[in-house]
Structure formats: C-alpha cells, structure tokens
C-alpha cells in the first residue's frame, strides 16, 4: 500500500506532451483539491503525469525526493507503435490504459497494479509522482522518504523484496519487475529512438569550465555492470577526431540497457586520480551486424563464383529442362498445330468439295505422276525405316530435284513422329544469339534465352577482370548447341516410347531394347539443306552429325539427310566411321518422265470438277485440237532444251496454265536464267559478287573464271576437269581470292553454275549446273555485247599475267647482269629467259590487238 494521500489540480485544458507534470503544488489560482481513494489515486497520478518535464523534458527531484525506475511494466513490442502515429502523445495511450484499469479483469494485470504490488507497506516511502515511459517499457516513480533512511537503502530493500517474491507481468512470464535508483537526470524525449542493447556513452563536461576526461573501460564496467550482463565495451579509436569523446557499452539484454540509460543519463563520474568530473550522456545505438557470411562470400570469389555458377546450372536443369522437353515433344507430335486439330479435320472434310485449292492439287498431281516412276526408290526407303539399320539415309541431288517432296510427301506421308530440321536458316542467322534462336525454333526448344548469353558474357568478363578467375556464367556456341540437341534427344526418346503400354508382352524390356525390337516406332528426323554454306559454320554441321549418329546408335530415331553437296561423306564419315550409308541420288528427269510430269499438271487443271458451273473456279483455256497438237509437238522440243530439273518443269507448267505457248515459256525461262547468271556471276562487283546467288559466303572465284567456263561449255557442253585447271585464267588468276583453281571450281559448283562429275572418286568432267543453264550459256555466248565485254576482261587479265612473267624475267636477267664475271653456264639460262620474254611479249601484242577489236565492238554495239 502506498502511504499518504495525493492531491491533484486541474486547469481545465489538455496539457502538451512536455508540459509540467501534476504533483502536490502550492497555491494556484485554478487549482481544485480533490481527495481521492487509494485505487483512483494511482490512476489520477498516472493520467496527470504522462508528460513530464517543463519544456526541457528532464525530471528534476526536490532535495527531499528521489526517483526510481520500474522496468518490465509494458511490452517492448509496443515501442514502434507508440513512437509513430496515430498516437500523438503518451497521454493518449495512458487514457486507454486507465479504461483498462477501470474495467473488470484489468486491475490485477494492469501496469498500475504492478507498481502497487511492487511497493510494500513495510518500506517507508511516499509516492509523489508516477511518470510512464511506454517506449522504454517502464515508469519513473518519484517518492519521498524519511531522513533516517537513504534512497539507496530503499532501493536495496525493494530489490531484495522483488528478488524473493518476483512480480512477473502477463506478457513476460520469465522475467520479473526490476527497479533501479535514478542517479542522473533522465531525459524524457518522444523521438523515434527505439531501445537497443547498445548504449552510446558520451563524455561531456560537468561544468562549463571543465574539459571532460575520457573514462577508462574499467571505470565504465564498474558503473554499468550493476544493471546487467555486459558483452563488450568499445572505446573510441585514438585517432578519431569526433567530439565529444564516446564509448560503446553493449549489454546482453535490451532491458538491461534500458535500465542503465534511464538511471545513469546525466550522471557525474569522478574517476580516481583525475581532477575534473565527467557527465555521462547516454543514447541508444544501432549495432552494426558483422555480416560474416556475406564478408566470406565477397572475400572468396574464386570459390563462391564457380559454386554459384553450378547452382545456377542445376536450377536451370531442374526447372527449365522438363518444360523444354515438353515443348519439343509437342513440336514433333504437332500438338498445338491448328491443322492437326479435330475441328480443322472435320471442317476440311465438310468443305472439301466447296473449297478446292486448285494450284496445290495440280502440283500434287504432277508430283504423284513423277513419284510413280520412283516407286521402287520410295519403297526402299520406307522398308529401311522398318528395319534396325544403324546408319544414315542420305538423299543427294541438285537443288530443285525434289528431295524434300520425295521424303516428306511420299516416304513419310502419314507419320506423326517426324522432326524436320532445316539447316539453311540456322547457318544464315547472324551472330551466335541468332543461330541459337533459329536452332531452337527448328526443334521446338523453348523457352530459350538467346539474349542472356550476351549478358552473361559481360558479367563473366567483368568478374574475370576484377578477380582474375573466369566465372563460367557464359557459354560458347558449341556448348549451347550441344545442350539444345541433348534436350531434343531426350524428348525424341519420349516420343518413340509414347505408345508403349504396360500390358504389352514386351513391357519388361528396357527402353533401348524395346526400340531395337520395334524400329517402326522410332521417330524420324529429316535434316534438310545439310552442308549449306558449310565453310561458314562448320561446327554446326559437325555437332548435328554427331547428334544424329548418337540417335541412330542408341536406337532412338531414324535420320535422313537431304543435301546438295556431293562431299557429304567427308562430314558424315567422321560421325559414323564404320558404317555404310544408304545413299539415294536424285538427278534430272528423263525427257519422257519430264513430259508426263508437265502433262499431269495440265490435265489436272483441265479436269472438270463438281463446281464447274462456277466460272471463277475454271481458269482453263479453250483451244482447238490443232493448236493442242501443235503445243504438244513444241513441248517435246522445249523439254529437251529445258532439261529435267523439277523446279524448272514446275515453272514451265505454271506458264502453260496461263496460256503461254511452250516455246515462249521456255524462251522466257532461258532469258531469266541468263539474266540471273549475268547479274550474279559476270557483272557482280568485287565486294559481294556471287554471294547472293552462290550462297557460299566469301567469293572464291572471279568473273573471268566464270566467263571462261560459260564460253567453253556453250561450245563443248562438257570440259575436262584438269584441262580447265591448266588454263591461265585458273592457273594464274590475278584475283587474290581466286588464286586457287580447285577452290574456284568447287565454289562455282556450290553456287550451282557448274556441275562436277566424278569417276572413281576423282573429278572428271565439268558441265552446266542444270540443264537450262546450258541454253542460257549459249544465249550469253551469242550476245555480242556480253561476249565482247567479258572477252575484254579475260584478255586484260591474260595480258597482266604475261606482264608479270616479263617482270620476273627482267628481274632475273638484271641479277645475272650484276655478276662481275659471267660464267659460260649462265648463257643457256639467259637465252631461255630471253626466249620466254619474247614469247610473252608476242602474246601481249596479240592480246592488245584483240582488245582493240573488242573495244570497237563495245563502242558501236548497244
């Protein structure tokens, strides 16, 4: 029980947070003396004294008064809530607490009751003021005591009593209420400074005339240890110029730091042996965490960065690889294609008689007529797909020979597990990111982050420049291609095993054994345009060939290569060195088959349909029987001139459909081919000549070499390979890129200007690239202007070659003439050089005479 009676005065206005606290006060003009009961007395004191300090915020005690700080009255978790809005002051919170005290059940658990229970009636003290500190979780209690007993003795008695009979609040049942005698001058601030376990102890002067000495750690320990366990005392660095001087005192518990701050703020310490006293100014300080783990990571990049790269790779494999395999399977099985949906198939069946695509129908009829003559070839490839043959099927033929149509429309017609990989867009893509994107698009590999590799390369470069170790975040083109192909292989295995059931008789077999026993269930991979621009990105073809070999050897899929390059065996033999390939060669059609192909297109177009009443659906021409007989007779002659290249025959059929005569159609095709040859091979500039037509990257031939072949083939139709290499245009070309004659011929063959026939594994003859080019060569040869211009270029180059020969001879003769003594042995060499010089000079004179004639032709002909 608190002895005495507390008299309160009220002014009728609300006090601000830092207005004077209410206590027993002398005469006041507005005061009212209110006798209150013991229970409401504490509540009134609590309510009146929520804001302490007269403008300064400091608590000052009278000469006969002392102050105790009661800890653990409020939970510290309320500190952030009280320090911010919506609480304006601690008075507002006090009013809520008063309501809680007056309510039923709140008397025994409230903070006021805890203070009453802590102060025993046996202790001779009289409470005059109670100042709550909700942010610090306690309250200041001001009291008076008789002169016979000191405040320190009262503190000791209360502390012993609370030690024997601890009072524990409901929110902290493991820690009882503790008290401490306030030895300094507490500062009651409402700043947003939450309690921390670290105290910043600043040493300030006790009086204006004194300079404050810095206390030692021993003195600080003796002053602060009584309030709780201290973990560390840190003095200010000796070279620090921060004023005032300070030290850090770290407590183990936050409430011990709160008790020390509220009891020792403003306390004057007189250290032994030092004249001047020091006043302590305390404040909470946020302890900077050590960040040991982060410091270890940043200080060991050689270990951490490879580990992070490994975790990133593992995360990619675990998360993205199953998604990518699913999309590859959906791409192979055409799961998301609209044309494979049931609705499209139903709609196509219902409207097949109304919506007829005549162009596609006629073209398909022509191809069917063509493939009828190749039925044995088609059945041979189909039978190989039903057998366990661990090798490749290679279909070779010139461009436009119908390789793709033969495989996709005839051999693999009706199969759902077919993956077509076109190498042309992959190789023609710009940069590594474009190549990866195109390859992923061909196999259905998604999601693909082709742009991320450029960013990873920059990060890898930055890490390597700073730490000296390559992080390994970026991947080169080879590793990314291998990764895509491996994921595709895993998906293809799932496609091949998709129809397998547990009820099958051979369900006990492993996946490899099952696919070996059922080769008809394997997926089929068609690799089109293999070795297209092989000199640019040969690594792509090497990896695709190795991947295809692995699929064939592991019985996952059948692989069919479609290529225009006759040297395909060199690349594929590296992947399967001990196997014999199943080779299929497609050439030009014979005249009879070519004629049937064209006529099949025309007959399909002219055949009446069910909707023949619709004039818009009948683009057929009404011709007389005599005109038809004449056109058929012309067709035999035109096909012989046009040749049997499938693409040229399709162009001829389309021209005949629109009403052109066979002679006119073939003449326009030949003119178009001649213009193409002239633009791409003869009149092309030095920087990019032939690159667009040849599709072979860097130009390795000259226009003079191309014209030499055109001119000779136009007259002879076939040239001996070695004879061409011995010609001066190929043996001693003045163009640096075309210095090698064999490389020039190979480049022109890849550009399809010529075709090189082999015999016994060696090149033997050279012919036109396709049959229509033979007629185009003749047309260019008969063009006076073109012939004069190109002959002029060839003669000019030959004159330069002879001029170089003369220069070499003159240099050697000068060397022989410089000898002081002329041996008789040099006479024969000198005569040889002079004869050679004379021969070259005669050739130059003859070339210049021809050049003069050609210049006259160019000056008079338009």
């Amino acid at each position: 029980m608190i002895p005495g009676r507390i008299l309160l005065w009220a002014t009728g206005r609300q006090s601000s947070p830092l207005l004077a606290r209410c206590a027993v006060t002398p005469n006041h003009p507005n005061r009212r003396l209110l006798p209150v009961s013991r229970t409401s007395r504490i509540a009134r004191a609590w309510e009146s004294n929520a804001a302490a300090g007269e403008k300064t915020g400091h608590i000052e005690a009278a000469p006969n008064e002392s102050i105790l700080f009661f800890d653990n009255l409020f939970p510290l978790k309320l500190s952030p809530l009280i320090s911010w809005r919506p609480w304006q002051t601690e008075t507002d919170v006090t009013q809520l607490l008063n309501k809680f005290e007056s309510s039923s059940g709140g008397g025994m658990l409230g903070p006021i009751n805890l203070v009453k229970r802590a102060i025993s009636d046996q202790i001779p003290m009289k409470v005059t003021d109670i100042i709550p500190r909700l942010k610090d979780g306690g309250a200041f209690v001001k009291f008076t005591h008789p002169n016979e007993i000191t405040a320190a003795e009262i503190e000791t008695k209360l502390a012993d009593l609370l030690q024997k009979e601890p009072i524990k609040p409901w929110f902290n049942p493991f820690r009882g209420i503790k008290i401490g005698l306030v030895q300094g001058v507490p500062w009651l601030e409402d700043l947003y400074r939450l309690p921390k376990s670290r105290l910043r102890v600043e040493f300030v002067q006790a009086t204006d005339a004194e300079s404050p000495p810095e206390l030692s750690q021993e003195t600080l320990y003796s002053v602060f240890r009584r309030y709780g366990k201290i973990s560390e005392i840190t003095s200010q660095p000796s070279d620090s110029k921060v004023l005032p001087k300070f030290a850090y005192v770290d407590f183990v518990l936050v409430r011990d730091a709160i008790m020390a701050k509220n009891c020792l703020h403003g306390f004057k310490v007189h250290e032994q042996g030092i004249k001047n006293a020091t006043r302590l100014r305390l404040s909470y300080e946020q302890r900077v965490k050590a960040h040991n783990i982060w410091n270890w990571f940043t200080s060991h990049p050689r270990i951490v960065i490879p580990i992070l790269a490994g975790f990133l790779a593992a995360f990619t494999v675990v998360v993205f690889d199953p998604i990518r395999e699913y999309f590859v399977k959906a791409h192979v099985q055409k799961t998301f294609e609209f044309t494979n949906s049931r609705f499209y198939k139903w709609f196509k069946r219902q409207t097949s008689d109304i919506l007829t695509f005549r162009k596609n129908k006629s073209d398909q009829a022509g191809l069917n007529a063509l493939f009828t003559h190749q039925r044995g070839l088609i059945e041979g490839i189909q039978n190989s797909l039903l057998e366990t043959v661990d090798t490749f099927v290679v279909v070779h033929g010139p461009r436009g020979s119908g390789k793709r149509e033969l495989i996709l429309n005839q051999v693999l017609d009706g199969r759902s597990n077919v993956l077509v990989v076109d190498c042309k867009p992959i190789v023609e893509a710009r940069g590594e990111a474009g190549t990866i994107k195109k390859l992923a698009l061909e196999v259905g590999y998604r999601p693909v982050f082709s742009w991320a590799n450029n960013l990873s390369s920059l990060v890898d470069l930055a890490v390597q420049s700073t730490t000296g170790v390559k992080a390994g975040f970026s991947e080169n083109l080879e590793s990314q291609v291998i990764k895509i192909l491996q994921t595709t292989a895993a998906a293809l295995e799932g496609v091949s095993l998709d129809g397998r059931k547990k009820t099958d008789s051979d369900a006990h077999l492993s996946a490899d054994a099952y696919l070996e026993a059922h080769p008809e269930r394997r997926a089929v991979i068609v690799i089109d345009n293999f070795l297209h621009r092989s000199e640019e990105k040969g690594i792509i073809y090497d990896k695709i060939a190795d991947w295809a070999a692995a699929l064939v050897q592991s019985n996952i899929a059948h692989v069919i290569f479609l290529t225009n390059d006759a040297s395909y065996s060199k690349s594929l033999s590296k992947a399967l060195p001990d196997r014999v390939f199943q080779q299929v060669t497609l050439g030009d059609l014979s005249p009879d088959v070519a004629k049937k192909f064209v006529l099949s297109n025309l007959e399909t177009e002219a055949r009446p349909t069910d909707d023949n009443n619709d004039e818009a659906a009948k683009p057929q021409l009404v011709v007389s029987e005599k005109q038809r007989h004449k056109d058929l007779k012309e067709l035999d002659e035109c096909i012989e001139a046009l040749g049997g290249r499938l693409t040229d025959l399709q162009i001829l059929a389309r021209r005949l459909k629109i009403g052109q005569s066979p002679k006119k159609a073939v003449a326009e095709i030949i003119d178009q081919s001649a213009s193409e040859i002239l633009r791409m091979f003869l009149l092309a500039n030095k920087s990019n000549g032939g690159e667009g037509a040849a599709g072979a990257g860097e130009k390795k031939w000259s226009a003079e070499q191309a014209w030499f072949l055109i001119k000779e083939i136009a007259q002879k139709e076939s040239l001996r390979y070695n004879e061409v290499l011995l010609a001066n245009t190929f043996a001693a070309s003045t163009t640096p890129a075309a210095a090698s004659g064999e490389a020039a011929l190979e480049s022109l063959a890849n550009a399809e200007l010529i075709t090189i026939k082999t015999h016994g594994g060696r090149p033997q003859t050279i012919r036109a690239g396709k049959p229509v080019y033979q007629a185009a060569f003749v047309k260019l040869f008969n063009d006076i202007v073109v012939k004069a211009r190109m002959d002029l270029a060839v003669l000019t180059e030959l004159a330069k070659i002879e001029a170089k020969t003369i220069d070499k001879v003159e240099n050697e003769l000068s060397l022989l003439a410089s000898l002081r003594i002329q041996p008789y042995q040099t006479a024969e060499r000198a005569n040889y050089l002079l004869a050679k010089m004379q021969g070259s000079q005669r050739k130059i004179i003859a070339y210049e005479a021809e050049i003069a004639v050609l210049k006259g032709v160019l000056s008079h002909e338009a």
Side-chain angles (χ1 to χ4, degrees):
M1 179 179 295
I2 302 177
R5 196 175 184 86
I6 299 179
L7 300 180
L8 308 177
W9 59 273
T11 59
R13 60 183 177 87
Q14 185 178 2
S15 59
S16 62
L18 298 179
L19 292 179
R21 63 190 180 280
C22 302
V24 179
T25 310
N27 295 333
H28 191 279
N30 295 329
R31 76 176 185 274
R32 291 181 297 159
L33 297 179
L34 302 175
V36 293
S37 63
R38 180 170 300 173
T39 303
S40 62
R41 185 183 311 156
I42 301 299
R44 291 282 188 169
W46 186 285
E47 178 184 1
S48 302
N49 301 315
E54 186 99 21
K55 296 183 181 181
T56 61
H58 293 92
I59 302 178
E60 296 180 358
N64 62 336
E65 287 183 331
S66 298
I67 304 174
L68 289 174
F69 181 77
F70 281 71
D71 184 28
N72 205 21
L73 297 179
F74 306 101
L76 290 179
K77 298 297 183 181
L78 293 177
S79 299
L81 179 65
I82 297 171
S83 300
W84 287 100
R85 303 302 190 210
W87 309 112
Q88 301 293 332
T89 63
E90 290 188 352
T91 306
D92 300 334
V93 185
T94 304
Q95 294 175 359
L96 296 177
L97 292 174
N98 289 337
K99 294 180 181 180
F100 176 74
E101 291 289 340
S102 61
S103 63
S104 59
M108 296 299 295
L109 301 176
I112 296 177
N113 186 267
L114 293 177
V115 174
K116 293 192 299 182
R117 292 171 56 191
I119 300 177
S120 175
D121 297 338
Q122 302 175 1
I123 299 177
M125 59 178 294
K126 180 180 180 181
V127 176
T128 59
D129 202 354
I130 299 177
I131 305 168
R133 293 295 296 166
L134 282 79
K135 184 171 66 174
D136 291 335
F140 290 100
V141 176
K142 186 183 294 187
F143 66 94
T144 59
H145 54 88
N147 296 330
E148 295 81 9
I149 188 172
T150 62
E153 294 175 352
I154 294 178
E155 177 195 16
T156 302
K157 291 182 178 181
L158 279 176
D160 294 341
L161 183 63
L162 292 175
Q163 184 72 23
K164 294 178 182 179
E165 299 178 1
I167 300 175
K168 300 178 180 180
W170 60 271
F171 55 84
N172 193 356
F174 303 102
R175 178 185 173 92
I177 296 177
K178 293 186 177 182
I179 64 170
L181 181 64
V182 177
Q183 302 183 33
V185 181
W187 181 33
L188 305 183
E189 39 79 21
D190 56 356
L191 304 176
Y192 190 69
R193 298 179 180 176
L194 302 181
K196 305 294 180 184
S197 61
R198 164 171 284 194
L199 291 179
R200 179 187 174 96
V201 183
E202 296 181 353
F203 310 116
V204 296
Q205 60 271 22
T207 60
D208 295 339
E210 298 175 354
S211 58
E214 183 178 0
L215 300 182
S216 63
Q217 293 189 4
E218 292 83 355
T219 303
L220 291 175
Y221 181 83
S222 62
V223 172
F224 286 92
R225 180 60 182 86
R226 64 190 304 267
Y227 297 103
K229 177 68 175 177
I230 297 175
S231 61
E232 183 61 50
I233 298 177
T234 306
S235 301
Q236 185 179 7
S238 58
D239 57 346
S240 177
K241 298 181 179 180
V242 178
L243 295 177
K245 296 291 185 178
F246 65 91
Y248 291 121
V249 178
D250 296 324
F251 284 89
V252 176
L253 299 178
V254 177
R255 287 195 177 272
D256 294 340
I258 294 174
M259 179 69 73
K261 176 184 178 299
N262 287 287
C263 293
L264 295 179
H265 182 80
F267 178 57
K268 295 180 180 180
V269 180
H270 197 159
E271 191 172 8
Q272 186 177 3
I274 298 178
K275 177 181 179 181
N276 300 330
T278 302
R279 186 164 61 89
L280 305 181
R281 186 163 65 193
L282 308 181
S283 61
Y284 298 118
E285 185 79 12
Q286 178 68 43
R287 182 181 298 181
V288 180
K289 296 183 179 180
H291 300 292
N292 294 328
I293 298 177
W294 175 254
N295 292 336
W296 188 88
F297 275 121
T298 55
S299 58
H300 296 80
R302 297 173 182 267
I303 302 176
V304 174
I305 293 177
I307 293 176
L308 291 179
F311 276 117
L312 182 62
F315 175 80
T316 303
V317 171
V318 172
V319 176
F320 289 106
D321 277 10
I323 300 175
R324 289 162 175 165
E325 289 185 14
Y326 170 77
F327 278 110
V328 172
K329 291 179 63 177
H331 177 75
V332 175
Q333 297 174 342
K334 301 177 178 58
T335 305
F336 301 118
E337 285 191 9
F338 178 71
T339 55
N340 200 36
S341 62
R342 295 181 178 179
F343 172 77
Y344 177 81
K345 293 179 180 178
W346 173 85
F347 183 78
K348 186 178 180 180
R349 289 194 302 268
Q350 300 298 324
T351 59
S352 59
D353 296 334
I354 302 175
L355 303 176
T356 303
F357 300 95
R358 297 184 176 274
K359 181 179 179 181
N360 296 336
K361 188 174 181 180
S362 60
D363 290 346
Q364 187 62 37
L367 292 174
N368 291 336
L370 168 63
F371 295 139
T372 301
H373 298 275
Q374 298 175 340
R375 181 54 54 189
L377 187 64
I378 295 171
E379 291 178 355
I381 300 176
Q382 289 177 340
N383 292 333
S384 66
L385 299 180
L386 301 177
E387 301 174 357
T388 304
V389 181
D390 298 340
T391 186
F392 300 142
V393 177
V394 183
V395 181
H396 169 256
R399 186 180 304 173
S401 57
K403 301 183 296 296
R404 186 182 180 96
E405 292 80 4
L406 175 70
I407 298 300
L408 297 182
N409 299 340
Q410 297 297 318
V411 176
L412 302 178
D413 187 24
R415 293 188 69 117
S416 58
N417 54 350
V418 178
L419 174 62
V420 181
V421 180
D422 192 356
C423 298
K424 184 177 180 180
I426 299 174
V427 176
E428 292 180 351
R430 296 184 177 180
E432 293 186 359
T435 302
I436 295 301
K437 185 176 180 181
K438 291 297 182 181
L439 177 60
L441 184 63
E442 289 296 322
V443 300
Y445 180 92
R446 60 175 64 89
V448 56
F449 309 107
S450 56
W451 52 268
N453 192 54
N454 296 332
L455 182 61
S456 301
S457 300
L458 295 177
V459 174
D460 204 357
L461 181 61
V463 172
Q464 186 176 5
S465 61
T466 54
T467 63
V469 179
K470 190 173 183 179
F473 290 114
S474 61
E475 296 178 327
N476 54 18
L477 177 62
E478 180 180 356
S479 61
Q480 294 184 81
V481 170
I482 292 175
K483 183 178 180 181
I484 293 176
L485 295 180
Q486 287 178 348
T487 305
T488 306
L492 288 173
E493 184 178 6
V495 171
S496 301
L497 298 172
D498 198 17
R500 190 181 184 185
K501 299 180 181 179
K502 295 183 179 179
T503 57
D504 294 341
S505 59
D506 52 1
H508 63 282
L509 296 177
S510 62
D512 187 25
Y514 177 82
L515 292 176
E516 185 177 4
H518 297 275
E520 73 280 357
R521 303 194 65 88
R522 302 179 196 173
V524 180
I525 303 175
V526 180
I527 301 177
D528 194 9
N529 289 316
F530 186 68
L531 297 182
H532 173 74
R533 292 191 182 182
S534 57
E535 65 277 0
E536 290 187 7
K537 295 182 180 179
I539 187 175
I540 300 294
Y541 294 114
D542 293 340
K543 296 307 174 184
I544 290 178
D546 294 340
W547 170 66
L551 293 178
V552 169
Q553 291 177 336
S554 57
N555 299 320
I556 294 178
H558 300 286
V559 181
I560 301 176
F561 286 94
L562 308 180
T563 179
N564 306 329
D565 198 327
S567 61
Y568 63 87
S569 59
K570 297 180 182 178
S571 179
L572 297 181
S573 297
K574 297 178 182 178
L576 284 178
D578 56 344
R579 306 295 170 87
V580 178
F581 307 137
Q582 183 178 352
Q583 303 178 10
V584 177
T585 302
L586 297 181
D588 296 330
L589 304 179
S590 63
D592 294 338
V593 177
K595 181 179 179 180
K596 291 180 180 179
F597 173 78
V598 176
L599 292 178
S600 299
N601 281 271
L602 297 177
E603 290 174 1
T604 305
E605 189 68 24
R607 185 180 300 119
T609 58
D610 295 339
D611 56 341
N612 53 4
N613 294 326
D614 189 359
E615 296 297 333
K618 299 190 302 177
Q620 48 185 306
L621 301 175
V622 180
V623 296
S624 63
E625 186 66 24
K626 181 178 180 180
Q627 181 66 29
R628 180 180 178 83
H629 180 72
K630 180 181 178 182
D631 289 345
L632 290 177
K633 185 177 180 181
E634 290 181 358
L635 184 60
D636 294 336
E637 301 175 359
C638 294
I639 287 179
E640 185 177 355
L642 187 63
R645 189 62 55 90
L646 183 60
T647 53
D648 297 333
L649 294 175
Q650 289 177 335
I651 296 174
L652 175 62
R654 294 190 187 100
R655 289 182 178 273
L656 294 178
K657 290 175 187 178
I658 62 175
Q660 287 185 350
S661 63
K663 285 187 177 181
K664 183 178 180 181
V666 172
E668 290 185 359
I669 293 175
I670 293 174
D671 291 342
Q672 184 178 1
S673 299
S675 299
E676 178 183 346
I677 295 171
L678 185 66
R679 178 172 55 88
M680 295 298 179
F681 295 95
L682 301 182
L683 302 182
N685 55 50
K686 297 293 183 181
S687 60
N688 59 356
E691 187 173 352
E698 184 183 358
K699 175 182 172 182
K700 296 182 180 180
W701 44 267
S702 64
E704 292 80 11
Q705 292 173 338
W707 173 249
F708 176 85
L709 294 173
I710 292 172
K711 181 179 178 180
E712 295 297 324
I713 292 175
Q715 301 176 73
K716 302 177 183 178
E717 292 189 3
S718 178
L719 303 176
R720 288 185 290 272
Y721 183 83
N722 293 325
E723 181 184 4
V724 173
L725 289 179
L726 294 176
N728 286 336
T729 307
F730 283 88
S733 176
T734 58
T735 304
S740 175
E742 290 186 338
L745 289 176
E746 184 178 357
S747 180
L748 289 171
N750 292 334
E752 296 187 353
L753 179 68
I754 59 174
T755 298
I756 301 177
K757 301 293 183 179
T758 60
H759 176 72
R762 63 175 178 83
Q764 185 183 32
T765 58
I766 299 175
R767 302 178 65 90
K770 52 185 179 179
V772 71
Y773 276 5
Q774 180 65 40
F777 290 173
V778 175
K779 182 177 179 60
L780 292 172
F781 179 73
N782 294 330
D783 190 327
I784 298 176
V785 177
V786 173
K787 184 176 182 298
R789 177 174 177 176
M790 297 311 301
D791 284 345
L792 178 62
V794 172
L795 291 173
T796 303
E797 185 180 39
L798 293 176
K800 291 181 180 179
I801 294 173
E802 299 301 331
K804 286 185 176 180
T805 302
I806 293 176
D807 290 338
K808 293 180 180 178
V809 170
E810 290 178 346
N811 293 333
E812 189 171 352
L813 289 174
S814 299
L815 180 61
L816 293 176
S818 62
L819 298 177
R820 294 182 180 180
I821 301 175
Q822 297 292 334
Y824 71 94
Q825 292 89 349
T826 59
E828 185 177 356
R829 180 62 179 175
N831 292 332
Y832 169 78
L833 293 175
L834 291 174
K836 190 173 183 179
M837 180 187 297
Q838 184 180 10
S840 297
Q841 181 61 31
R842 288 176 179 176
K843 290 180 181 180
I844 292 176
I845 293 174
Y847 294 153
E848 289 181 350
E850 294 182 22
I851 289 174
V853 175
L854 294 175
K855 287 183 178 180
V857 174
L858 292 176
S859 61
H860 292 89
E861 295 293 337

